[in-house]
């Protein structure tokens, strides 16, 4: 069964450093998402991406964050200058949504980001 | 903003018993999805129920949706130790032209004792 993959599984970085989290969505899916989960808290939406542009973003997704689909398979989340509070599990998701036909969002296993 | 809230926060049962988890939300939705998360791991999709559906089954899972009460329930029948995990409901508004990003609840931590 196709699945969303994410690399790395764990990333440790120093405060102020840039990190890039990588995702390979399911191949025929059109919508891509990033969510995050701070330890012990809810899963929170960050951004959705469709047709090579951001379709929606939350207030968490500020100027320090950016997303890119550099090629036909990868989807990346970049945090420009990490802060301690960016430490969280970051989940990528994808779906094959068509308007009027809600579809499941499939999640990757996550990247645990630790900012020291 | 809408918010899914599950109850109970924690549930401990014996293997073979049924487990029921509830979810409430605040605004109108396009669909509601249930996910499972094993400790420190990714989210596994269990079932999606559309706003015009009232009940859905998948194996040992039964989900109901009551849009008048803005609530949903997830029933796991004949539970197994392997069902031990956190269970989350997630709602999607899905207004026209948008998929509807998922809003997650805090989850119910289910423990099934052998």
């Amino acid at each position: 069964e196709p699945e969303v993959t994410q690399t790395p599984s764990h990333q440790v970085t120093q405060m102020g450093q840039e990190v890039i989290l990588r995702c390979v969505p399911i191949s025929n899916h059109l919508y891509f998402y990033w969510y995050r989960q701070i330890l012990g808290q809810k899963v929170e939406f960050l951004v959705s991406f469709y047709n090579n542009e951001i379709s929606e973003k939350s207030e968490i997704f500020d100027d320090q964050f950016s997303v890119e689909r550099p090629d036909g398979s990868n989807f990346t989340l970049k945090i420009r200058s990490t802060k301690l509070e960016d430490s969280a599990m970051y989940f990528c998701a994808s779906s094959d949504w068509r308007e009027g036909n809600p579809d499941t969002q499939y999640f990757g296993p996550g990247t645990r980001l630790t900012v020291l | 903003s809408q918010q899914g809230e599950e109850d109970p926060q924690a549930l401990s049962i014996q293997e073979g018993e049924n487990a029921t988890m509830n979810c409430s939300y605040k605004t109108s939705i396009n669909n509601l999805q249930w996910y499972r998360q094993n400790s420190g791991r990714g989210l596994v999709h269990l079932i999606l129920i559309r706003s015009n559906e009232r009940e859905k089954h998948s194996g040992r899972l039964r989900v109901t949706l009551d849009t008048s009460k803005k609530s949903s329930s997830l029933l796991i029948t004949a539970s197994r130790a392997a069902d031990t995990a956190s269970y989350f409901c997630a709602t999607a508004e899905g207004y026209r032209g948008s998929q509807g990003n998922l809003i997650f609840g805090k989850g119910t931590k289910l423990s099934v004792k052998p």
Side-chain angles (χ1 to χ4, degrees):
Chain A
E1 188 177 320
E3 56 184 21
V4 176
T5 59
Q6 289 184 244
T7 54
S9 56
H10 192 187
Q11 173 93 47
V12 181
T13 189
Q14 295 290 327
M15 192 169 59
Q17 295 294 305
E18 174 184 286
V19 293
I20 297 176
L21 309 183
R22 301 179 193 280
C23 168
V24 178
I26 294 173
S27 63
N28 62 338
H29 284 186
L30 302 177
Y31 264 88
F32 315 117
Y33 309 82
W34 284 101
Y35 293 81
R36 79 170 186 193
Q37 185 181 32
I38 294 171
L39 188 64
Q41 297 188 24
K42 293 184 186 186
V43 176
E44 301 173 290
F45 166 72
L46 293 178
V47 65
S48 59
F49 191 87
Y50 171 71
N51 200 26
N52 284 319
E53 60 183 24
I54 290 174
S55 52
E56 288 185 64
K57 60 183 180 179
S58 72
E59 60 222 25
I60 301 168
F61 194 87
D62 62 22
D63 292 344
Q64 292 299 312
F65 291 88
S66 62
V67 288
E68 196 177 29
R69 188 151 163 83
D71 53 45
S73 59
N74 290 285
F75 179 52
T76 62
L77 173 70
K78 182 193 289 187
I79 309 175
R80 227 178 308 280
S81 177
T82 51
K83 307 181 191 110
L84 295 176
E85 54 265 36
D86 292 328
S87 293
M89 183 78 98
Y90 287 80
F91 294 106
C92 174
S94 69
S95 76
D96 188 23
W97 180 80
R98 300 280 188 272
E99 187 173 338
N101 181 31
D103 201 10
T104 299
Q105 291 187 30
Y106 293 92
F107 282 73
T111 292
R112 182 169 296 285
L113 176 65
T114 301
V115 182
L116 303 176
Chain B
S1 62
Q2 66 174 326
Q3 200 170 32
E5 294 292 344
E6 295 90 342
D7 83 88
Q9 289 186 338
L11 180 61
S12 183
I13 59 174
Q14 293 294 130
E15 212 166 25
E17 293 180 341
N18 296 340
T20 300
M21 289 159 271
N22 303 297
C23 167
S24 60
Y25 57 90
K26 294 181 181 175
T27 63
S28 59
I29 60 170
N30 178 290
N31 66 79
L32 185 146
Q33 303 183 38
W34 284 91
Y35 287 84
R36 185 185 74 218
Q37 184 180 38
N38 288 67
S39 182
R41 308 292 292 276
L43 294 157
V44 175
H45 182 262
L46 296 176
I47 199 163
L48 179 153
I49 186 165
R50 300 182 186 198
S51 59
N52 62 354
E53 295 176 314
R54 293 294 165 258
E55 189 170 309
K56 208 159 180 183
H57 297 256
S58 176
R60 294 184 295 114
L61 305 181
R62 174 178 164 250
V63 167
T64 62
L65 180 64
D66 186 336
T67 52
S68 66
K69 294 181 179 175
K70 292 187 168 56
S71 67
S72 173
S73 68
L74 170 68
L75 168 69
I76 304 174
T77 59
S79 63
R80 305 167 184 165
D83 294 328
T84 295
S86 290
Y87 291 81
F88 297 89
C89 71
T91 52
E93 287 179 337
Y95 52 88
R96 183 175 176 79
S98 168
Q99 152 70 333
N101 310 305
L102 295 179
I103 309 294
F104 283 81
K106 291 179 184 174
T108 292
K109 192 170 278 191
L110 174 67
S111 174
V112 182
K113 297 176 183 174

